[in-house]
């Protein structure tokens, strides 16, 4: 009796997942030229340049103060601090949004399209992204407001309006618009799609995956930032540790291949021979894109979470925020990359989550379920974190009365994303929205860099 419903769900998933004739081509025709600018070299160079400007202007302080950030993360907020969630919960909420398919499927896409050398460029953009994330969180806390519901709200739209003045409010509005829309791509549809793709390999219908995810997401986001932060703080540390340990087991079982893996990464970083297009620009661009996708430094998303932190110290919260980029890309993404390269799975022709699963199974027979489990849990937390980001952007544009309609629409897209059609179209549209979101934020970071430098220079870091 239970075969029929499963069969019906599978057929319905396939039917819903097929774009109407010509629609996929139409989406690509509209998206491709926009993508070429919004998520091509112009924006990638702007993100990299902003990170370099901030890192050099700060005298490389973010790299030197990583241990300080760890100490501040473990310190309890003072009773006089204002905010809805603890600094630790703010970091976990931001990491819930960043640790997702970008760390598993995104790394695999980078290697499949750009070759192992793309990993080097992921590392490089992440190093300078540490300074970008620091500046974003600092400005978010410094220029935050309290909304009609009594919640502390902040992020690029607020530090643009309050930091640059009313004449720049239009730029903040553009960020909020693109942030609201980008969330439905990077933080929702892409996540749901990759989860349903992974579970479909073990026979679970895509539609069923979407419905279950939708119910879980609704149960959390209806409780607002406090419930999201509680869920993130419980899930993210445990799942991250479990995934890293699982990766280490595979890597240690192939320990003799690790030196060759690093050698391949560094040698391929400056050639195009392993890239799908055979060009060096493909290697660099794929590494930068997927690195930015994984840690979101420069997109302006994470500071929205850090603005809700229970703190009165913008610099301290900035040093906590920058830990997210370090952990996300330089630790977790590196683990995924080493599994894929040391097992030789990157030469299999697979991409996305399929490549990651193949790598685990190759390294240790039957261990592909770790990737599937990681995708499901990380994607769920990403949808939760990005649900908060997009909700804050929606509130900025339309007021607090738009919160409930937004949450209902968010859950609906979780289900729709699970049965979406082409992986390439899904990722390309998400990339475009990322770029459109990043541009206003990057302009603001450059224009407000003097404020970042001044607050940082005048800050007395506690030693010991």
């Amino acid at each position: 009796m239970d075969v029929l419903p499963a069969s019906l769900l599978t057929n319905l998933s396939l039917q819903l997942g097929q774009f109407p004739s010509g629609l996929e081509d139409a989406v690509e025709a509209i998206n491709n030229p926009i993508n070429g600018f919004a998520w091509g070299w112009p924006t990638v160079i702007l993100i990299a340049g902003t990170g370099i400007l901030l890192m050099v202007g700060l005298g490389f302080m973010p790299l030197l103060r990583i241990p300080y950030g760890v100490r501040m993360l473990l310190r309890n907020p003072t009773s006089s601090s204002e905010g809805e969630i603890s600094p630790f919960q703010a970091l976990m909420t931001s990491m819930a949004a960043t640790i997702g398919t970008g760390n598993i499927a995104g790394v695999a896409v980078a290697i499949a399209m750009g070759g192992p050398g793309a990993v080097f460029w992921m590392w490089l953009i992440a190093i300078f992204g540490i300074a970008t994330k620091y500046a974003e969180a600092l400005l978010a806390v410094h220029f935050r407001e309290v909304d009609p519901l009594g919640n502390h709200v902040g992020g690029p739209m607020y530090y643009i309006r309050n930091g640059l003045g009313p004449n720049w409010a239009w730029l903040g509005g553009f960020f909020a618009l693109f942030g609201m829309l980008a969330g439905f791509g990077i933080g929702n549809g892409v996540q749901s799609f990759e989860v349903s793709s992974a579970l479909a390999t073990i026979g679970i219908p895509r539609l069923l995956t979407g419905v279950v995810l939708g119910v879980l997401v609704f149960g959390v986001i209806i409780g607002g930032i406090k419930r999201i932060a509680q869920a993130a703080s419980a899930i993210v540390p445990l799942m991250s540790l479990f995934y890293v340990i699982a990766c280490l087991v595979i890597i240690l079982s192939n320990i003799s291949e690790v030196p060759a893996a690093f050698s391949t990464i560094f040698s391929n970083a400056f050639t195009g021979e392993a890239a799908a297009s055979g060009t060096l620009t493909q290697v660099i661009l794929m590494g930068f894109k997927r690195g930015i996708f994984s840690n979101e430094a420069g997109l302006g998303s994470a500071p929205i979470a850090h603005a809700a932190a229970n703190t009165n110290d913008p610099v301290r919260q900035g040093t906590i925020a920058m830990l997210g980029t370090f952990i996300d890309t330089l630790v977790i993404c590196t683990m995924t990359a080493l599994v894929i390269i040391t097992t030789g799975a990157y030469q299999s022709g697979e991409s996305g989550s399929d490549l990651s699963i193949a790598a685990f199974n190759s390294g240790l027979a039957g261990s592909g379920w770790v990737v599937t489990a990681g995708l499901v849990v990380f994607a769920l937390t990403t949808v939760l974190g990005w649900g908060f980001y997009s909700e804050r952007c929606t509130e900025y544009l339309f007021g607090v009365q738009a919160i409930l309609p937004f949450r209902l629409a968010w859950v609906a897209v979780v289900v729709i994303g699970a049965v979406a059609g082409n992986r390439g179209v899904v990722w390309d549209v998400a990339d475009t929205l990322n770029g459109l979101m990043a541009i206003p934020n990057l302009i603001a970071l450059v224009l407000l860099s003097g404020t970042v430098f001044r607050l940082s220079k005048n800050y007395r870091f506690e030693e010991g």
Side-chain angles (χ1 to χ4, degrees):
M1 293 294 292
D2 58 344
V3 175
L4 183 57
S7 176
L8 287 174
L9 281 172
T10 300
N11 290 335
L12 183 56
S13 296
L14 290 172
Q15 292 173 16
L16 291 173
Q18 296 298 318
F19 286 169
S21 178
L23 179 58
E24 187 173 315
D25 292 339
V27 171
E28 289 182 332
I30 295 172
N31 181 70
N32 287 349
I34 302 175
N35 182 277
F37 172 79
W39 198 238
W41 279 111
T43 301
V44 169
I45 290 173
L46 182 57
I47 290 175
T50 301
I52 293 171
L53 168 69
L54 292 168
M55 185 66 83
V56 173
L58 290 165
F60 291 85
M61 179 274 289
L63 293 179
L64 300 175
R65 292 295 180 178
I66 288 177
Y68 177 84
V70 174
R71 294 201 305 273
M72 294 303 101
L73 175 65
L74 301 176
R75 174 177 294 186
N76 293 324
T78 63
S79 57
S80 61
S81 299
E82 299 178 352
E84 288 68 55
I85 57 178
S86 70
F88 175 79
Q89 288 178 322
L91 178 62
M92 290 303 103
T93 300
S94 67
M95 288 185 64
T98 56
I99 299 179
T101 57
N103 302 83
I104 300 175
V107 174
V109 169
I111 295 174
M113 299 299 295
V119 177
F120 171 84
W121 300 103
M122 290 183 70
W123 291 337
L124 187 64
I125 199 71
I127 288 172
F128 290 104
I130 290 173
T132 304
K133 191 69 71 71
Y134 164 82
E136 289 176 324
L138 180 153
L139 292 172
V141 174
H142 186 64
F143 289 111
R144 67 185 179 180
E145 300 178 2
V146 178
D147 71 6
L149 299 178
N151 296 316
H152 287 76
V153 293
M157 55 280 203
Y158 292 97
Y159 56 68
I160 288 173
R161 185 174 67 188
N162 298 333
L164 297 178
N167 291 336
W168 289 88
W170 60 272
L171 188 65
F174 272 117
F175 172 86
L177 175 62
F178 295 139
M180 178 183 67
L181 296 176
F184 285 100
I186 183 178
N188 192 328
V190 166
Q191 310 298 324
S192 183
F193 178 86
E194 289 293 346
V195 169
S196 67
S197 296
L199 294 181
T201 63
I202 58 175
I204 299 178
R206 289 177 177 271
L207 182 59
L208 178 60
T209 297
V211 171
V212 172
L213 278 177
V215 171
L216 292 174
V217 169
F218 181 78
V220 177
I221 68 169
I222 198 67
I225 180 57
K226 290 185 178 180
R227 190 177 298 177
I228 292 172
Q230 289 169 354
S233 297
I235 298 172
V236 172
L238 288 176
M239 191 60 208
S240 298
L241 182 61
F242 174 77
Y243 182 75
V244 168
I245 291 174
C247 288
L248 285 174
V249 171
I250 305 294
I251 294 168
L252 290 175
S253 68
N254 294 278
I255 192 67
S256 62
E257 299 298 326
V258 171
F262 278 105
S263 176
T264 300
I265 289 171
F266 286 111
S267 63
N268 284 183
F270 303 98
T271 67
E273 60 187 40
S277 68
T279 63
L280 178 58
T281 55
Q282 175 82 351
V283 180
I284 299 173
L285 192 59
M286 285 306 302
F288 277 179
K289 280 184 175 183
R290 300 277 67 85
I292 296 165
F293 187 96
S294 76
N295 61 57
E296 298 175 15
L299 297 191
S301 51
I304 299 175
H306 288 283
N310 188 0
T311 182
N312 293 325
D313 193 329
V315 173
R316 179 182 296 173
Q317 194 62 34
T319 62
I320 292 172
M322 69 189 190
L323 298 176
T325 300
F326 178 84
I327 296 169
D328 183 280
T329 305
L330 298 179
V331 176
I332 298 179
C333 285
T334 298
M335 294 293 101
T336 302
L338 288 177
V339 169
I340 291 172
I341 298 171
T342 58
T343 59
Y346 71 96
Q347 299 173 318
S348 67
E350 298 284 358
S351 185
S353 58
D354 297 335
L355 173 54
S356 298
I357 291 173
F360 267 78
N361 283 330
S362 175
L364 184 63
S367 65
W369 67 269
V370 172
V371 176
T372 303
L375 277 172
V376 172
V377 177
F378 286 151
L380 173 61
T381 57
T382 298
V383 174
L384 295 177
W386 263 94
F388 174 67
Y389 295 161
S390 290
E391 180 181 302
R392 283 288 192 256
C393 290
T394 302
E395 178 186 338
Y396 180 88
L397 292 170
F398 304 111
V400 295
Q401 66 272 12
I403 291 176
L404 181 58
F406 165 82
R407 290 174 179 173
L408 296 175
W410 188 258
V411 173
V413 172
V414 171
V415 180
I416 295 171
V419 297
N422 183 283
R423 171 178 270 125
V425 173
V426 172
W427 279 82
D428 287 347
V429 172
D431 280 345
T432 299
L433 293 171
N434 287 352
L436 292 174
M437 176 182 178
I439 292 172
N441 179 54
L442 295 167
I443 293 172
L445 287 175
V446 172
L447 295 177
L448 291 171
S449 60
T451 300
V452 176
F453 300 152
R454 174 176 56 81
L455 292 175
S456 302
K457 181 179 180 181
N458 295 334
Y459 189 78
R460 297 187 64 177
F461 289 94
E462 304 170 27
E463 301 298 335

